Amino acid sequence: MEHNGELTGHQFSLPAEIIVEILSRLSVKSLCRFRCVSKPWRSLISNTKFIALHAKKTLEDKEVFLRRRRVIFKVALRYLYSLDLDQFLNHNYNDDDDNALVLKNRHVHADNNHDGLIPATELDFVSAEGRRPIYFIYSCNNLLLCDMRRGFYLVNPATREMKKVPKTPSWRPVRPYCLSLCGFGFDSSTNEYKVVNGQVYSDINVIVFSVYTLKTDSWRKIECFSPYHAYWFQGIFLNGAIHWSATTVGDRSSSVIVSFLLAEEEVREIRLPPIGDTCLANLGVFRDCLCITLAGIDQTFNEFWVMKEYGVSESWTRMRVSMPYHQLSHFGFSTKSHDLMVCGSSFVMYNFKEESFRNLPIRDTTLGGNGVGVYVEGLFPLIDREQDESRRVDNQVLIKLKHA
């Protein structure tokens, strides 16, 4: 690609804008390979404007979105898998087949009996870098946040980049916190990803929040004290906020949803539907809406709640399910006819119109609802390539000086 806006050096030439349009529709895997074609192509594909254009295609074109959408899940605290579930459903799923997902990694491969199935591919570079176990995963747009033995890691599963998040400071070291909340989301007002930490101090009945951003690569304390007790630390991102189940503090405590607004960096409270005092509220995402599934000791349920209008307590709507459950999780994956849920330790495809469902088992293993998410493949960089190249050159100079 030369300054005249054409691709040259071959038997054909194309205007630069046509090349950019074609490239913006390709997969991340293809673009990562095309970086090696030439320096101009590498420069183009790494350009922030092109990265933004590539991401924009996901919003504008539903077919592009479906080609890039992935389900992420962990297995047995040891392995992290990515699955192109849309392709799997399009080619393999019907009422007559007893299909199962086949895990594929450097140790386990689909055998000849499973030809035609779309394998779930292990992201082995994650566990190799962060060291197992993988406790929890959070997903948002192009990125993952993985809670691992060596700390938290930001991951772009499509480009195979990882970045370790600095350890969160303890804001009251004399009085250690009893629980650490975590959440991960995208602030559209500043176009940046944010990791949110909430340190729960039971002695003073408050949560102290802090925020990490990629731009600063550091944590910043939010100067406000939130009087809540939280009973589950994994936050749910939706509508520009991260949400946790909690209880208010005082003589007349009640269960609520605590939301941390990423743009304003403020804490808000959302009232729960009338679920009673004998069960817990597990948060999730159902068709771009905040939802609550129920959990209790030795209890089964056949309903969950959906907030049809975000932030409006009166919009909580009861949804029935034809399969009684002990544990149910929603994480925002749906097709025209079905919603994907995690029921117990299995994927379930549920049709609410017909009140029917099909298990979608993972062959030879089980999964947990706290380790499932959805992401969209993208080029968002976790590594500043210019700085990385500068460091590489500086290191080469130092090596030459040492051996001079």
Side-chain angles (χ1 to χ4, degrees):
M1 188 187 302
E2 304 295 344
H3 295 293
N4 60 7
E6 294 184 348
L7 179 67
T8 59
H10 299 277
Q11 297 179 350
F12 59 88
S13 61
L14 287 173
E17 58 270 18
I18 300 299
I19 298 172
V20 171
E21 178 65 23
I22 293 172
L23 293 178
S24 68
R25 296 177 176 274
L26 298 182
S27 68
V28 174
K29 184 176 182 179
S30 296
L31 292 173
C32 288
R33 291 200 306 264
F34 292 164
R35 278 176 176 162
C36 303
V37 170
S38 65
K39 288 184 178 180
W41 276 47
R42 181 181 182 86
S43 177
L44 168 64
I45 295 170
S46 303
N47 184 274
T48 55
K49 290 184 178 180
F50 178 79
I51 293 173
L53 176 63
H54 187 265
K56 188 179 179 182
K57 292 297 180 186
T58 302
L59 302 175
E60 295 177 341
D61 192 320
K62 187 174 182 180
E63 288 187 5
V64 173
F65 168 75
L66 295 177
R67 287 201 303 269
R68 297 177 184 174
R69 182 168 64 166
R70 300 289 185 272
V71 173
I72 188 79
F73 61 94
K74 67 180 179 69
V75 172
L77 292 178
R78 294 176 58 82
Y79 307 105
L80 193 61
Y81 287 89
S82 175
L83 170 67
D84 186 351
L85 187 55
D86 289 290
Q87 186 178 3
F88 177 88
L89 296 175
N90 288 339
H91 291 277
N92 295 276
Y93 191 77
N94 60 64
D95 291 337
D96 298 325
D97 289 339
D98 184 21
N99 288 324
L101 307 183
V102 178
L103 303 185
K104 182 178 180 180
N105 56 28
R106 53 188 172 175
H107 306 297
V108 181
H109 297 274
D111 57 38
N112 293 331
N113 294 328
H114 307 318
D115 287 345
L117 291 178
I118 306 301
T121 304
E122 184 191 0
L123 303 179
D124 53 357
F125 72 97
V126 176
S127 52
E129 176 66 25
R131 297 294 181 266
R132 302 181 177 104
I134 303 170
Y135 299 114
F136 292 92
I137 57 172
Y138 306 78
S139 60
C140 177
N141 297 348
N142 304 148
L143 301 184
L144 310 176
L145 178 68
C146 297
D147 181 3
M148 306 182 72
R149 173 177 290 170
R150 292 187 176 181
F152 284 94
Y153 288 80
L154 287 169
V155 179
N156 185 325
T159 62
R160 300 176 65 86
E161 292 181 345
M162 288 185 68
K163 179 179 177 61
K164 194 174 190 303
V165 177
K167 185 178 179 180
T168 313
S170 178
W171 302 114
R172 296 176 70 238
V174 178
R175 298 276 187 177
Y177 51 88
C178 64
L179 181 66
S180 181
L181 309 183
C182 185
F184 178 53
F186 185 76
D187 182 357
S188 58
S189 68
T190 57
N191 289 322
E192 61 182 347
Y193 288 91
K194 291 182 176 181
V195 181
V196 178
N197 171 265
Q199 297 175 6
V200 182
Y201 294 94
S202 57
D203 60 323
I204 57 176
N205 293 323
V206 299
I207 303 174
V208 180
F209 285 100
S210 54
V211 174
Y212 166 86
T213 63
L214 269 171
K215 291 181 180 179
T216 62
D217 194 29
S218 62
W219 289 94
R220 174 170 43 83
K221 181 182 176 183
I222 305 303
E223 297 299 333
C224 69
F225 293 95
S226 303
Y228 297 99
H229 282 304
Y231 53 82
W232 186 243
F233 54 86
Q234 190 174 24
I236 300 297
F237 175 70
L238 180 72
N239 271 46
I242 299 173
H243 308 79
W244 297 269
S245 296
T247 57
T248 58
V249 174
D251 295 333
R252 302 179 63 182
S253 65
S254 60
S255 296
V256 296
I257 297 173
V258 172
S259 65
F260 184 90
L261 282 62
L262 294 183
E264 295 83 358
E265 295 187 344
E266 297 175 352
V267 176
R268 302 283 171 83
E269 185 179 300
I270 299 176
R271 284 191 300 159
L272 289 172
I275 61 174
D277 299 326
T278 62
C279 56
L280 298 177
N282 294 327
L283 302 182
V285 178
F286 177 78
R287 301 180 188 174
D288 297 325
C289 293
L290 191 65
C291 75
I292 288 173
T293 57
L294 308 176
I297 299 175
D298 297 326
Q299 296 185 68
T300 58
F301 305 91
N302 62 354
E303 65 184 29
F304 65 97
W305 293 80
V306 177
M307 179 175 266
K308 293 294 185 69
E309 186 176 350
Y310 181 77
V312 179
S313 299
E314 292 75 17
S315 71
W316 282 113
T317 303
R318 191 196 309 262
M319 300 285 291
R320 300 284 185 179
V321 288
S322 59
M323 52 178 197
Y325 68 87
H326 293 281
Q327 183 179 5
L328 185 70
S329 301
H330 293 280
F331 50 95
F333 186 101
S334 63
T335 65
K336 290 181 179 180
S337 59
H338 288 76
D339 292 87
L340 182 67
M341 309 183 297
V342 178
C343 185
S345 58
S346 298
F347 283 128
V348 173
M349 298 297 298
Y350 196 95
N351 186 319
F352 282 90
K353 185 177 180 179
E354 299 178 359
E355 295 187 351
S356 61
F357 64 91
R358 275 288 303 273
N359 288 323
L360 193 63
I362 301 173
R363 197 179 300 279
D364 301 326
T365 190
T366 58
L367 55 87
N370 59 7
V372 180
V374 179
Y375 72 94
V376 180
E377 290 196 332
L379 292 164
F380 190 91
L382 292 174
I383 301 171
D384 189 324
R385 298 188 180 279
E386 291 184 0
Q387 288 188 8
D388 194 54
E389 179 65 18
S390 176
R391 294 191 192 101
R392 188 183 68 81
V393 172
D394 289 344
N395 288 336
Q396 289 179 344
V397 172
L398 288 173
I399 291 172
K400 288 183 179 180
L401 287 173
K402 287 180 180 180
H403 292 85

PDB file of all heavy atoms in Angstrom, residues 250-270:
ATOM      1  N   GLY A 250     -27.905  -1.615  58.975  1.00  0.00           N
ATOM      2  CA  GLY A 250     -28.794  -0.936  59.919  1.00  0.00           C
ATOM      3  C   GLY A 250     -29.730  -1.904  60.582  1.00  0.00           C
ATOM      4  O   GLY A 250     -29.690  -3.131  60.345  1.00  0.00           O
ATOM      5  N   ASP A 251     -30.607  -1.364  61.448  1.00  0.00           N
ATOM      6  CA  ASP A 251     -31.550  -2.202  62.185  1.00  0.00           C
ATOM      7  C   ASP A 251     -32.555  -2.869  61.261  1.00  0.00           C
ATOM      8  O   ASP A 251     -33.049  -3.955  61.543  1.00  0.00           O
ATOM      9  CB  ASP A 251     -32.282  -1.356  63.236  1.00  0.00           C
ATOM     10  CG  ASP A 251     -31.342  -0.820  64.306  1.00  0.00           C
ATOM     11  OD1 ASP A 251     -30.307  -1.476  64.544  1.00  0.00           O
ATOM     12  OD2 ASP A 251     -31.636   0.241  64.887  1.00  0.00           O
ATOM     13  N   ARG A 252     -32.889  -2.206  60.162  1.00  0.00           N
ATOM     14  CA  ARG A 252     -33.865  -2.751  59.213  1.00  0.00           C
ATOM     15  C   ARG A 252     -33.178  -3.026  57.873  1.00  0.00           C
ATOM     16  O   ARG A 252     -33.498  -2.410  56.857  1.00  0.00           O
ATOM     17  CB  ARG A 252     -35.029  -1.781  59.037  1.00  0.00           C
ATOM     18  CG  ARG A 252     -35.756  -1.451  60.335  1.00  0.00           C
ATOM     19  CD  ARG A 252     -36.887  -0.468  60.100  1.00  0.00           C
ATOM     20  NE  ARG A 252     -37.912  -1.016  59.216  1.00  0.00           N
ATOM     21  CZ  ARG A 252     -38.987  -0.335  58.817  1.00  0.00           C
ATOM     22  NH1 ARG A 252     -39.149   0.922  59.218  1.00  0.00           N
ATOM     23  NH2 ARG A 252     -39.871  -0.898  58.014  1.00  0.00           N
ATOM     24  N   SER A 253     -32.229  -3.940  57.904  1.00  0.00           N
ATOM     25  CA  SER A 253     -31.476  -4.245  56.690  1.00  0.00           C
ATOM     26  C   SER A 253     -32.356  -4.980  55.691  1.00  0.00           C
ATOM     27  O   SER A 253     -33.289  -5.698  56.064  1.00  0.00           O
ATOM     28  CB  SER A 253     -30.246  -5.089  57.020  1.00  0.00           C
ATOM     29  OG  SER A 253     -30.636  -6.347  57.527  1.00  0.00           O
ATOM     30  N   SER A 254     -32.065  -4.790  54.421  1.00  0.00           N
ATOM     31  CA  SER A 254     -32.817  -5.441  53.352  1.00  0.00           C
ATOM     32  C   SER A 254     -31.882  -5.787  52.207  1.00  0.00           C
ATOM     33  O   SER A 254     -30.825  -5.165  52.032  1.00  0.00           O
ATOM     34  CB  SER A 254     -33.953  -4.531  52.860  1.00  0.00           C
ATOM     35  OG  SER A 254     -33.420  -3.317  52.355  1.00  0.00           O
ATOM     36  N   SER A 255     -32.283  -6.774  51.417  1.00  0.00           N
ATOM     37  CA  SER A 255     -31.478  -7.174  50.262  1.00  0.00           C
ATOM     38  C   SER A 255     -31.704  -6.201  49.113  1.00  0.00           C
ATOM     39  O   SER A 255     -32.836  -5.807  48.823  1.00  0.00           O
ATOM     40  CB  SER A 255     -31.852  -8.589  49.827  1.00  0.00           C
ATOM     41  OG  SER A 255     -31.548  -9.524  50.838  1.00  0.00           O
ATOM     42  N   VAL A 256     -30.615  -5.812  48.445  1.00  0.00           N
ATOM     43  CA  VAL A 256     -30.673  -4.867  47.333  1.00  0.00           C
ATOM     44  C   VAL A 256     -29.632  -5.259  46.301  1.00  0.00           C
ATOM     45  O   VAL A 256     -28.849  -6.197  46.493  1.00  0.00           O
ATOM     46  CB  VAL A 256     -30.397  -3.406  47.799  1.00  0.00           C
ATOM     47  CG1 VAL A 256     -31.472  -2.920  48.749  1.00  0.00           C
ATOM     48  CG2 VAL A 256     -29.008  -3.312  48.428  1.00  0.00           C
ATOM     49  N   ILE A 257     -29.625  -4.540  45.187  1.00  0.00           N
ATOM     50  CA  ILE A 257     -28.542  -4.631  44.203  1.00  0.00           C
ATOM     51  C   ILE A 257     -27.740  -3.348  44.283  1.00  0.00           C
ATOM     52  O   ILE A 257     -28.295  -2.244  44.201  1.00  0.00           O
ATOM     53  CB  ILE A 257     -29.104  -4.815  42.778  1.00  0.00           C
ATOM     54  CG1 ILE A 257     -29.875  -6.127  42.673  1.00  0.00           C
ATOM     55  CG2 ILE A 257     -27.967  -4.781  41.746  1.00  0.00           C
ATOM     56  CD1 ILE A 257     -30.607  -6.293  41.348  1.00  0.00           C
ATOM     57  N   VAL A 258     -26.456  -3.470  44.483  1.00  0.00           N
ATOM     58  CA  VAL A 258     -25.557  -2.321  44.485  1.00  0.00           C
ATOM     59  C   VAL A 258     -24.942  -2.198  43.103  1.00  0.00           C
ATOM     60  O   VAL A 258     -24.379  -3.172  42.576  1.00  0.00           O
ATOM     61  CB  VAL A 258     -24.451  -2.473  45.553  1.00  0.00           C
ATOM     62  CG1 VAL A 258     -23.414  -1.369  45.406  1.00  0.00           C
ATOM     63  CG2 VAL A 258     -25.057  -2.451  46.940  1.00  0.00           C
ATOM     64  N   SER A 259     -25.050  -1.022  42.490  1.00  0.00           N
ATOM     65  CA  SER A 259     -24.465  -0.807  41.168  1.00  0.00           C
ATOM     66  C   SER A 259     -23.422   0.295  41.240  1.00  0.00           C
ATOM     67  O   SER A 259     -23.637   1.326  41.888  1.00  0.00           O
ATOM     68  CB  SER A 259     -25.543  -0.444  40.143  1.00  0.00           C
ATOM     69  OG  SER A 259     -26.148   0.797  40.457  1.00  0.00           O
ATOM     70  N   PHE A 260     -22.302   0.053  40.593  1.00  0.00           N
ATOM     71  CA  PHE A 260     -21.226   1.045  40.504  1.00  0.00           C
ATOM     72  C   PHE A 260     -21.195   1.565  39.073  1.00  0.00           C
ATOM     73  O   PHE A 260     -20.895   0.818  38.140  1.00  0.00           O
ATOM     74  CB  PHE A 260     -19.887   0.421  40.876  1.00  0.00           C
ATOM     75  CG  PHE A 260     -18.749   1.400  40.896  1.00  0.00           C
ATOM     76  CD1 PHE A 260     -18.418   2.101  42.053  1.00  0.00           C
ATOM     77  CD2 PHE A 260     -17.986   1.644  39.752  1.00  0.00           C
ATOM     78  CE1 PHE A 260     -17.373   3.007  42.074  1.00  0.00           C
ATOM     79  CE2 PHE A 260     -16.946   2.550  39.756  1.00  0.00           C
ATOM     80  CZ  PHE A 260     -16.642   3.242  40.927  1.00  0.00           C
ATOM     81  N   LEU A 261     -21.521   2.848  38.877  1.00  0.00           N
ATOM     82  CA  LEU A 261     -21.571   3.466  37.558  1.00  0.00           C
ATOM     83  C   LEU A 261     -20.157   3.825  37.103  1.00  0.00           C
ATOM     84  O   LEU A 261     -19.457   4.592  37.780  1.00  0.00           O
ATOM     85  CB  LEU A 261     -22.446   4.721  37.579  1.00  0.00           C
ATOM     86  CG  LEU A 261     -23.971   4.508  37.549  1.00  0.00           C
ATOM     87  CD1 LEU A 261     -24.453   3.749  38.776  1.00  0.00           C
ATOM     88  CD2 LEU A 261     -24.690   5.840  37.442  1.00  0.00           C
ATOM     89  N   LEU A 262     -19.723   3.267  35.984  1.00  0.00           N
ATOM     90  CA  LEU A 262     -18.343   3.445  35.541  1.00  0.00           C
ATOM     91  C   LEU A 262     -18.047   4.874  35.098  1.00  0.00           C
ATOM     92  O   LEU A 262     -16.948   5.382  35.332  1.00  0.00           O
ATOM     93  CB  LEU A 262     -18.024   2.482  34.396  1.00  0.00           C
ATOM     94  CG  LEU A 262     -18.023   0.997  34.764  1.00  0.00           C
ATOM     95  CD1 LEU A 262     -17.607   0.155  33.558  1.00  0.00           C
ATOM     96  CD2 LEU A 262     -17.078   0.720  35.932  1.00  0.00           C
ATOM     97  N   ALA A 263     -18.980   5.536  34.437  1.00  0.00           N
ATOM     98  CA  ALA A 263     -18.737   6.902  33.956  1.00  0.00           C
ATOM     99  C   ALA A 263     -18.700   7.888  35.115  1.00  0.00           C
ATOM    100  O   ALA A 263     -17.768   8.700  35.232  1.00  0.00           O
ATOM    101  CB  ALA A 263     -19.806   7.306  32.946  1.00  0.00           C
ATOM    102  N   GLU A 264     -19.707   7.842  35.981  1.00  0.00           N
ATOM    103  CA  GLU A 264     -19.784   8.780  37.102  1.00  0.00           C
ATOM    104  C   GLU A 264     -18.928   8.343  38.282  1.00  0.00           C
ATOM    105  O   GLU A 264     -18.626   9.154  39.156  1.00  0.00           O
ATOM    106  CB  GLU A 264     -21.236   8.919  37.566  1.00  0.00           C
ATOM    107  CG  GLU A 264     -22.165   9.537  36.537  1.00  0.00           C
ATOM    108  CD  GLU A 264     -22.669   8.525  35.521  1.00  0.00           C
ATOM    109  OE1 GLU A 264     -22.260   7.348  35.614  1.00  0.00           O
ATOM    110  OE2 GLU A 264     -23.445   8.904  34.628  1.00  0.00           O
ATOM    111  N   GLU A 265     -18.567   7.050  38.337  1.00  0.00           N
ATOM    112  CA  GLU A 265     -17.845   6.453  39.457  1.00  0.00           C
ATOM    113  C   GLU A 265     -18.573   6.740  40.760  1.00  0.00           C
ATOM    114  O   GLU A 265     -18.007   7.188  41.753  1.00  0.00           O
ATOM    115  CB  GLU A 265     -16.392   6.940  39.485  1.00  0.00           C
ATOM    116  CG  GLU A 265     -15.615   6.480  38.263  1.00  0.00           C
ATOM    117  CD  GLU A 265     -14.123   6.772  38.304  1.00  0.00           C
ATOM    118  OE1 GLU A 265     -13.729   7.608  39.149  1.00  0.00           O
ATOM    119  OE2 GLU A 265     -13.386   6.175  37.517  1.00  0.00           O
ATOM    120  N   GLU A 266     -19.867   6.421  40.709  1.00  0.00           N
ATOM    121  CA  GLU A 266     -20.754   6.585  41.858  1.00  0.00           C
ATOM    122  C   GLU A 266     -21.488   5.285  42.123  1.00  0.00           C
ATOM    123  O   GLU A 266     -21.625   4.432  41.240  1.00  0.00           O
ATOM    124  CB  GLU A 266     -21.775   7.694  41.608  1.00  0.00           C
ATOM    125  CG  GLU A 266     -21.178   9.078  41.430  1.00  0.00           C
ATOM    126  CD  GLU A 266     -22.217  10.119  41.056  1.00  0.00           C
ATOM    127  OE1 GLU A 266     -23.390   9.740  40.789  1.00  0.00           O
ATOM    128  OE2 GLU A 266     -21.877  11.314  41.050  1.00  0.00           O
ATOM    129  N   VAL A 267     -21.986   5.142  43.355  1.00  0.00           N
ATOM    130  CA  VAL A 267     -22.715   3.947  43.752  1.00  0.00           C
ATOM    131  C   VAL A 267     -24.204   4.258  43.807  1.00  0.00           C
ATOM    132  O   VAL A 267     -24.620   5.280  44.359  1.00  0.00           O
ATOM    133  CB  VAL A 267     -22.226   3.441  45.124  1.00  0.00           C
ATOM    134  CG1 VAL A 267     -23.059   2.247  45.589  1.00  0.00           C
ATOM    135  CG2 VAL A 267     -20.752   3.050  45.040  1.00  0.00           C
ATOM    136  N   ARG A 268     -24.995   3.390  43.200  1.00  0.00           N
ATOM    137  CA  ARG A 268     -26.446   3.506  43.234  1.00  0.00           C
ATOM    138  C   ARG A 268     -27.046   2.209  43.789  1.00  0.00           C
ATOM    139  O   ARG A 268     -26.372   1.187  43.883  1.00  0.00           O
ATOM    140  CB  ARG A 268     -27.003   3.776  41.835  1.00  0.00           C
ATOM    141  CG  ARG A 268     -26.456   5.037  41.185  1.00  0.00           C
ATOM    142  CD  ARG A 268     -27.087   6.288  41.731  1.00  0.00           C
ATOM    143  NE  ARG A 268     -26.401   7.492  41.237  1.00  0.00           N
ATOM    144  CZ  ARG A 268     -26.658   8.055  40.057  1.00  0.00           C
ATOM    145  NH1 ARG A 268     -27.573   7.513  39.254  1.00  0.00           N
ATOM    146  NH2 ARG A 268     -26.011   9.139  39.679  1.00  0.00           N
ATOM    147  N   GLU A 269     -28.319   2.281  44.141  1.00  0.00           N
ATOM    148  CA  GLU A 269     -29.017   1.138  44.717  1.00  0.00           C
ATOM    149  C   GLU A 269     -30.239   0.799  43.871  1.00  0.00           C
ATOM    150  O   GLU A 269     -30.974   1.685  43.449  1.00  0.00           O
ATOM    151  CB  GLU A 269     -29.437   1.474  46.141  1.00  0.00           C
ATOM    152  CG  GLU A 269     -30.071   0.344  46.911  1.00  0.00           C
ATOM    153  CD  GLU A 269     -30.424   0.762  48.331  1.00  0.00           C
ATOM    154  OE1 GLU A 269     -29.497   1.153  49.077  1.00  0.00           O
ATOM    155  OE2 GLU A 269     -31.624   0.693  48.690  1.00  0.00           O
ATOM    156  N   ILE A 270     -30.442  -0.495  43.608  1.00  0.00           N
ATOM    157  CA  ILE A 270     -31.600  -0.970  42.846  1.00  0.00           C
ATOM    158  C   ILE A 270     -32.381  -1.928  43.723  1.00  0.00           C
ATOM    159  O   ILE A 270     -31.815  -2.856  44.314  1.00  0.00           O
ATOM    160  CB  ILE A 270     -31.167  -1.671  41.545  1.00  0.00           C
ATOM    161  CG1 ILE A 270     -30.407  -0.697  40.640  1.00  0.00           C
ATOM    162  CG2 ILE A 270     -32.373  -2.251  40.808  1.00  0.00           C
ATOM    163  CD1 ILE A 270     -29.851  -1.347  39.381  1.00  0.00           C
TER     164      ILE A 270
END
